[in-house]
Amino acid sequence: MELDSKIPGGPLETKWERHHFDLKLVNPANKRKYEIIVVGTGLAGGSASASLAELGYRVKTFCIQDSPRRAHSIAAQGGINAAKNYPNDGDSIWRLFYDTIKGGDFRAREANVYRLAQVSNLIIDHCVAQGIPFAREYGGLLANRSFGGAQVSRTFYARGQTGQQLLLGAYSSLVRQVARGQVTMFPRREMLDVVLVNGQARGIVVRNLVTGEIERHAAHAVVLATGGYGNVFFLSTNGMGCNVTAAFRAYKKGAGFANPCFTQIHPTCIPVHGDYQSKLTLMSESLRNDGRVWVPKKARDTRRPHDIPEDERDYYLERIYPSFGNLAPRDISSRAAKRMCDEGKGVGPTGRAVYLDFADAIQRLGKAEIEARYGNLFQMYEKIVAEDPYTTPMMIYPASHYTMGGLWVDYNLMSTIPGLFVLGEANFSDHGANRLGASALMQGLADGYFVIPNTINGYLAGTKFGEVTDSHEAFKESEAEVEARVQKLLSIKGKRTVQDFHRELGSIMWEYCGMGRTDEGMTKARKLVADVKAEFWENVTVPGSHADLNQSLENAGRVADFLEFADVMLLDGLARRESCGCHFNEAFQTEENEALRDDVNMAHVAVWEYAGEGKEPIFHKEPLKFEFVKLATRSYK
Amino acid sequence: MSGKTINLTLKVWRQPGAKAPGRLETYRAENISTDASFLEMLDIVNEGLTLEGKEPVAFDHDCREGICGMCGSVVNGRPHGPERETTLCQLHMRHFADGDTVVIEPFRARALPVVKDLVVDRSALDQVMAAGGFISVNTGQAPEANSLPVPKDKADLAMDAAACIGCGACIAACPNASAMLFTSAKVSQFALLPHGRPEAARRALAMLAQMDACGFGNCTNHQECEVECPKGISISNIARLNREFIKAALGSAEELPVIK
Ligand SMILES: Cc1cc2nc3c(=O)[nH]c(=O)nc-3n(C[C@H](O)[C@H](O)[C@H](O)COP(=O)(O)OP(=O)(O)OC[C@H]3O[C@@H](n4cnc5c(N)ncnc54)[C@H](O)[C@@H]3O)c2cc1C
Ligand code: SF4
Ligand code: FES
């Protein structure tokens, strides 16, 4: 497997512009001769489909949900970053770039992250023109707020529904192209394989989730924008349908999987409270702008929060990280919460929670202002927990939220399979070992609106395409494999449900590959996961038939892939001989329990190549070169 | 969090496919924590059915936090159940009493046919959107974001309208199965913003024409939609749509395409 990142040479500031010029173009009249498949309609896939169609390409777009508007991007709450520097508080493209590289603990590519910061401003321009009702000041201009991991206010937001609004913007552009006939939309389809002809990605095989039919779709290039794999932990803030299937099938066809162990545990989620629970709910990080995080100073203190006097509370983030305080980045805040609970200072019925307290902010700003800022989040909290966060501090605990790892891509967002591009959370590209708040929306839209419409031209114009239709042998083979797997899942007729297996996998991964990792734990987890996987294929029960809507069958396929993928994650965790960002191996820590990086030996992207059934994947490295920033210990003190 | 549990009798609409007849089946939901959500309660029932070798109840859902618009059934006669401004996934079992009988049916409307059990086909809503629910701006064309100020009150009203999650409850609630609340929310959002004004007339006409073409009924002002909308979308949006429509109908002679 060759890992050529194709990063253009020269000064950082002009790499992207120069690359534009160096890329071959496709003549406007020829664009309609190319068909492009886009899988996924989140921010990345929705924006890519619309933009590619606007250029004149013929686009076929697929998603699992009944409508492209329901991709999980819809759930993003807090906001989207851009380097506009409207508040005049010292922001710049360089600072956004630097914060993002540093926030990722220096495990991302400089050139990619710089490009991201550069196009961030264009995203805001475009989204405003689409009619996205961002928050505004009384003068009618756009409002900003601060977000975790930054000391400037660069986050644009639409109440607590930024993802929804950005996604509906992308969706509106997408359906406009559907009406023009430039995009053909295929909802309720699940991609189950990518089809290669002469080593090039030339199409996909999908299951029609309503009729059960296996369909073949051919194209000149395939774009995957299928989101993240946070549901490997079973409980997460992701939507129920979020999966690794599309990415994992691409991996099995030869696409390298990069940094799979880099998974983000978000510090502010509603804690786990029962074994019937199906998912965890995020309380946006924006709450940490005004909420103060604390635990009782005394371990196992069971008093109600109001009964604990001020001097017996430990505002530990403010104490340990005085310059960032409650806005310390996610990995740091999550681990701090875990440490507090491990020391017995956790609160609530399970002892796995900390307080997020708005009393001071309400006193300072008034209840009305807090309601204006966070009303919908408070309401959501009250619905779930049945406690009023205006009067009783919220209880929060970290939960699986985002995956920085993903399919390896070069600067053009192309994977190691020619013609297979990967965008958004599904790729590994921009966030290194930890993602800062409000930067996933930025990346998804950067990839879809501004990067892929440029870089795909270079591939299409520079590639010779043989005539390929969906009756090609490669499609037949792929379809047969997919059919066989569906039949296999239905035929086991065992004694345990799919959800039961998923829950077991999740608890293993959370225990041994979550916030605190050890070599022994991860090694043990590999064995445990292998056992669960073996039992799954003998003892799962999947009722119903292949020939209609069968949600058990859909889930079974996804859980089967998670079970296989989990091992790659664990291998990656074991192979990274350092702690960095979200990846915290207890053997590598400073005296103050912070992550201890090894820049000499570990400044690389770890890429895994599928080696065949039952074989360990092959490990490759893409060294990370830092020419423009100095590697520094990441301090938020 | 209370730690209480309750037992319920469910009567659930089972329909194997779009063309097949359906009927209510009775199931027991036992030892349900009152802290569980409605969909988690259905998960538990489905786990039980699966272990008995029966097909679980099909229902749509994804985000389970009230934002994707994927969930939604009629619970005891009310779309998304009894709680105001609450999607089905955000409804918690503490709002039910031990021993209750709960009837669960799909949204019903001519334009939203049943796919299976509680799952309906809402693609008509995408068609209404495709007819005009956008501002025609291509990527790359936009001027600087702050070049066009928007009064804060207008921006706030636009955001109120934009909060629609496209769930279809308003249609299920409407005696005419009209999609006016849904359509008017989108028309309003754009009509309130200067960026949306250039196409305001065309948009109102096109979306209304598409609504008719999709088989949605007319609005005769029953206001049930507003009561059942989980996102608190106001019927003042319908009044705004009507104003936009009148303005547009007076001004435009353009033939508008309808998506079939
Ligand atoms: C609760 C929550 C809050 C967040 N808040 C913020 C925030 O405030 N700011 C921020 O920057 N980021 C935030 N994030 C992160 C951000 O929302 C996501 O990383 C981002 O939206 C992912 O977008 P995407 O387009 O890559 O994928 P998604 O939006 O997940 O879309 C994936 C798409 O792929 C489709 N798909 C998946 N698998 C298949 C398959 N096999 N076949 C066919 N289709 C498939 C799905 O149907 C869907 O259309 C948040 C995330 C969560 C979960
Ligand atoms: S207007 Fe309300 S009820 Fe109707 S689709 Fe939108 S959110 Fe659902
Ligand atoms: S599942 Fe998303 S709104 Fe209910």
Side-chain angles (χ1 to χ4, degrees):
Chain A
M1 177 175 285
E2 217 205 313
L3 300 174
D4 177 0
S5 62
K6 305 225 172 67
I7 294 172
L12 191 58
E13 290 81 355
T14 51
K15 279 182 196 290
W16 178 227
E17 200 184 325
R18 241 189 352 272
H19 190 60
H20 265 217
F21 183 73
D22 291 341
L23 285 168
K24 287 202 180 108
L25 294 176
V26 177
N27 168 330
N30 282 342
K31 289 207 170 86
R32 68 187 143 76
K33 296 186 187 147
Y34 290 103
E35 264 194 303
I36 300 173
I37 283 174
V38 179
V39 189
T41 59
L43 289 180
S47 60
S49 302
S51 303
L52 292 169
E54 287 162 10
L55 289 173
Y57 292 116
R58 283 180 295 137
V59 179
K60 290 198 204 177
T61 301
F62 298 78
C63 69
I64 290 181
Q65 290 85 353
D66 67 326
S67 161
R69 66 180 289 153
R70 306 199 202 282
H72 197 57
S73 294
I74 200 101
Q77 301 169 351
I80 176 167
N81 285 334
K84 287 280 194 187
N85 193 29
Y86 287 153
N88 193 29
D89 57 357
D91 203 6
S92 61
I93 288 174
W94 183 270
R95 190 181 291 278
L96 174 54
F97 153 71
Y98 185 77
D99 285 352
T100 309
I101 275 270
K102 174 185 166 195
D105 220 356
F106 303 96
R107 291 294 174 265
R109 284 185 201 136
E110 285 178 326
N112 283 60
V113 178
Y114 194 84
R115 171 175 70 188
L116 176 64
Q118 274 177 313
V119 302
S120 68
N121 291 339
L122 299 177
I123 296 172
I124 302 301
D125 296 343
H126 184 58
C127 291
V128 166
Q130 280 176 328
I132 289 171
F134 282 117
R136 289 181 182 263
E137 309 285 358
Y138 281 102
L141 302 176
L142 292 157
N144 289 109
R145 65 179 166 204
S146 54
F147 229 68
Q151 287 174 312
V152 294
S153 292
R154 62 160 73 101
T155 303
F156 294 78
Y157 61 102
R159 292 202 189 132
Q161 292 121 283
T162 316
Q164 178 197 28
Q165 294 310 313
L166 295 173
L167 183 65
L168 293 182
Y171 161 76
S172 70
S173 293
L174 168 64
V175 290
R176 174 172 160 244
Q177 296 304 322
V178 171
R180 289 184 60 221
Q182 283 295 125
V183 175
T184 313
M185 190 62 227
F186 297 88
R188 291 204 200 266
R189 302 293 200 289
E190 181 161 16
M191 176 194 134
L192 294 177
D193 204 9
V194 47
V195 178
L196 271 52
V197 177
N198 299 327
Q200 296 168 342
R202 291 306 301 267
I204 59 174
V205 167
V206 304
R207 180 165 178 272
N208 179 324
L209 300 181
V210 176
T211 63
E213 225 171 303
I214 307 296
E215 304 172 350
R216 311 167 180 184
H217 296 274
H220 294 91
V222 176
V223 177
L224 291 192
T226 46
Y229 52 85
N231 278 347
V232 69
F233 293 101
F234 182 61
L235 286 181
S236 86
T237 64
N238 287 7
M240 303 299 287
C242 293
N243 65 82
V244 76
T245 291
F248 198 66
R249 301 305 170 88
Y251 160 79
K252 284 190 140 182
K253 282 291 176 81
F257 211 111
N259 298 334
C261 82
F262 287 172
T263 57
Q264 179 162 76
I265 311 294
H266 194 296
T268 58
C269 304
I270 299 181
V272 177
H273 51 77
D275 55 10
Y276 50 82
Q277 234 174 323
S278 56
K279 73 157 291 179
L280 296 173
T281 302
L282 178 77
M283 288 284 103
S284 166
E285 184 166 50
S286 61
L287 292 170
R288 290 198 280 145
N289 277 322
D290 288 308
R292 297 178 69 197
V293 176
W294 65 275
V295 291
K297 278 189 182 155
K298 204 170 67 187
R300 280 161 283 279
D301 188 337
T302 51
R303 287 175 290 175
R304 300 271 306 153
H306 298 290
D307 300 331
I308 302 180
E310 206 45 43
D311 62 344
E312 291 180 43
R313 300 175 174 193
D314 181 8
Y315 294 90
Y316 59 87
L317 287 178
E318 297 171 25
R319 173 172 58 80
I320 310 174
Y321 310 103
S323 65
F324 279 69
N326 294 297
L327 291 179
R330 293 175 178 176
D331 51 342
I332 308 249
S333 308
S334 291
R335 272 199 296 278
K338 176 176 185 288
R339 276 204 307 276
M340 294 300 135
C341 296
D342 289 348
E343 288 169 18
K345 294 174 186 163
V347 300
T350 61
R352 303 299 310 173
V354 301
Y355 290 125
L356 179 62
D357 195 336
F358 292 87
D360 287 349
I362 291 174
Q363 204 163 38
R364 193 175 69 243
L365 303 163
K367 185 177 167 195
E369 178 59 29
I370 294 299
E371 192 171 349
R373 288 185 191 179
Y374 313 111
N376 70 319
L377 297 171
F378 278 42
Q379 199 186 19
M380 190 141 84
Y381 182 87
E382 192 176 358
K383 275 188 184 141
I384 296 172
V385 184
E387 275 184 354
D388 175 11
Y390 291 101
T391 55
T392 305
M394 279 186 182
M395 281 186 285
I396 53 163
Y397 197 68
S400 159
H401 176 62
Y402 181 86
T403 53
M404 282 75 67
L407 292 177
W408 183 90
V409 288
D410 63 15
Y411 190 70
N412 295 317
L413 303 184
M414 191 161 90
S415 70
T416 51
I417 298 176
L420 181 73
F421 294 81
V422 190
L423 320 184
E425 193 172 336
N427 73 26
F428 87 107
S429 73
D430 295 353
H431 307 294
N434 172 58
R435 177 174 73 74
L436 290 185
S439 57
L441 302 184
M442 170 171 73
Q443 183 226 330
L445 291 181
D447 289 359
Y449 283 135
F450 295 104
V451 180
I452 191 74
N454 287 295
T455 57
I456 209 165
N457 298 328
Y459 173 72
L460 295 173
T463 305
K464 278 215 163 45
F465 290 99
E467 176 70 23
V468 171
T469 67
D470 64 12
S471 44
H472 190 280
E473 204 49 42
F475 277 92
K476 280 190 201 148
E477 278 167 26
S478 168
E479 183 182 308
E481 273 171 41
V482 166
E483 295 261 20
R485 193 173 140 102
V486 165
Q487 290 307 339
K488 168 84 187 154
L489 285 167
L490 288 166
S491 67
I492 300 168
K493 298 196 188 306
K495 298 215 155 36
R496 286 180 66 188
T497 64
V498 174
Q499 197 178 340
D500 197 21
F501 281 105
H502 195 177
R503 191 178 281 119
E504 186 179 1
L505 170 69
S507 68
I508 296 169
M509 294 305 279
W510 181 248
E511 176 72 23
Y512 300 108
C513 203
M515 278 184 285
R517 301 172 175 177
T518 62
D519 288 349
E520 306 75 67
M522 288 186 282
T523 309
K524 179 171 171 199
R526 286 195 68 195
K527 169 85 178 61
L528 293 174
V529 169
D531 291 347
V532 181
K533 183 179 135 191
E535 192 193 335
F536 177 91
W537 285 104
E538 278 167 15
N539 197 24
V540 75
T541 177
V542 182
S545 105
H546 69 96
D548 73 339
L549 182 75
N550 185 340
Q551 293 166 322
S552 310
L553 179 61
E554 293 167 29
N555 286 334
R558 291 173 203 151
V559 172
D561 286 332
F562 276 133
L563 282 166
E564 217 171 322
F565 168 71
D567 192 53
V568 190
M569 228 174 118
L570 290 162
L571 272 176
D572 189 46
L574 284 164
R576 189 158 282 282
R577 311 307 301 155
E578 65 170 350
S579 292
C580 61
C582 66
H583 170 69
F584 193 74
N585 183 329
E586 286 168 18
F588 309 101
Q589 54 180 313
T590 66
E591 276 171 16
E592 290 151 320
N593 306 109
E594 302 291 354
L596 187 63
R597 273 192 346 245
D598 176 355
D599 291 334
V600 177
N601 299 303
M602 288 288 134
H604 61 246
V605 180
V607 187
W608 299 89
E609 178 183 359
Y610 183 65
E613 208 59 54
K615 296 207 183 103
E616 286 215 354
I618 305 159
F619 175 72
H620 302 267
K621 276 184 203 179
E622 179 202 335
L624 289 168
K625 290 193 218 73
F626 292 90
E627 296 176 63
F628 305 93
V629 301
K630 222 173 103 234
L631 295 184
T633 303
R634 196 166 150 243
S635 168
Y636 293 92
K637 296 214 160 166
Chain B
M1 307 275 133
S2 68
K4 245 180 67 180
T5 60
I6 53 175
N7 297 317
L8 303 167
T9 304
L10 307 185
K11 294 192 182 297
V12 186
W13 185 261
R14 302 299 309 255
Q15 180 174 338
K19 302 224 163 61
R23 64 198 188 98
L24 286 171
E25 296 270 357
T26 305
Y27 304 108
R28 296 281 300 157
E30 276 164 358
N31 291 321
I32 304 296
S33 162
T34 52
D35 292 327
S37 71
F38 195 88
L39 299 188
E40 285 166 349
M41 181 275 292
L42 284 182
D43 288 343
I44 294 169
V45 172
N46 274 345
E47 288 284 283
L49 290 174
T50 305
L51 290 174
E52 286 169 33
K54 295 186 186 140
E55 253 202 274
V57 179
F59 63 92
D60 263 334
H61 63 100
D62 193 29
C63 74
R64 295 203 174 190
E65 47 188 70
I67 193 75
C68 73
M70 188 103 180
C71 71
S73 302
V74 177
V75 175
N76 290 342
R78 299 191 57 186
H80 291 296
E83 282 291 290
R84 248 196 112 95
E85 292 193 23
T86 303
T87 54
L88 196 59
C89 58
Q90 286 197 302
L91 175 65
H92 281 72
M93 298 313 292
R94 63 182 74 98
H95 301 290
F96 295 85
D98 193 32
D100 276 359
T101 296
V102 183
V103 183
I104 313 170
E105 295 165 277
F107 286 173
R108 298 200 190 273
R110 184 154 65 102
L112 312 180
V114 172
V115 175
K116 181 172 180 173
D117 297 343
L118 304 173
V119 176
V120 297
D121 178 356
R122 287 172 289 204
S123 51
L125 296 180
D126 289 325
Q127 290 178 18
V128 172
M129 278 291 292
F134 49 77
I135 289 175
S136 299
V137 53
N138 283 355
T139 307
Q141 288 178 321
E144 207 287 328
N146 259 344
S147 57
L148 205 53
V150 182
K152 185 171 174 357
D153 55 336
K154 290 271 171 57
D156 286 346
L157 280 175
M159 180 62 223
D160 290 344
C164 164
I165 58 173
C167 63
C170 48
I171 299 152
C174 176
N176 307 331
S178 168
M180 268 303 254
L181 194 61
F182 167 82
T183 307
S184 70
K186 199 39 83 179
V187 168
S188 284
Q189 175 194 343
F190 292 141
L192 284 157
L193 298 169
H195 310 83
R197 286 310 312 171
E199 290 170 287
R202 184 176 198 282
R203 178 178 308 114
L205 294 175
M207 290 181 80
L208 281 173
Q210 187 65 43
M211 214 182 87
D212 286 345
C214 286
F216 290 106
N218 288 325
C219 172
T220 49
N221 221 0
H222 287 266
Q223 309 187 7
E224 306 276 348
C225 52
E226 187 187 61
V227 178
E228 300 298 354
C229 172
K231 293 292 132 178
I233 303 296
S234 156
I235 48 165
S236 61
N237 289 303
I238 298 183
R240 193 174 293 107
L241 168 58
N242 286 334
R243 286 199 296 278
E244 290 295 329
F245 176 75
I246 291 165
K247 268 195 274 182
L250 291 176
S252 166
E254 191 183 355
E255 276 282 328
L256 292 164
V258 163
I259 304 161
K260 301 255 165 47

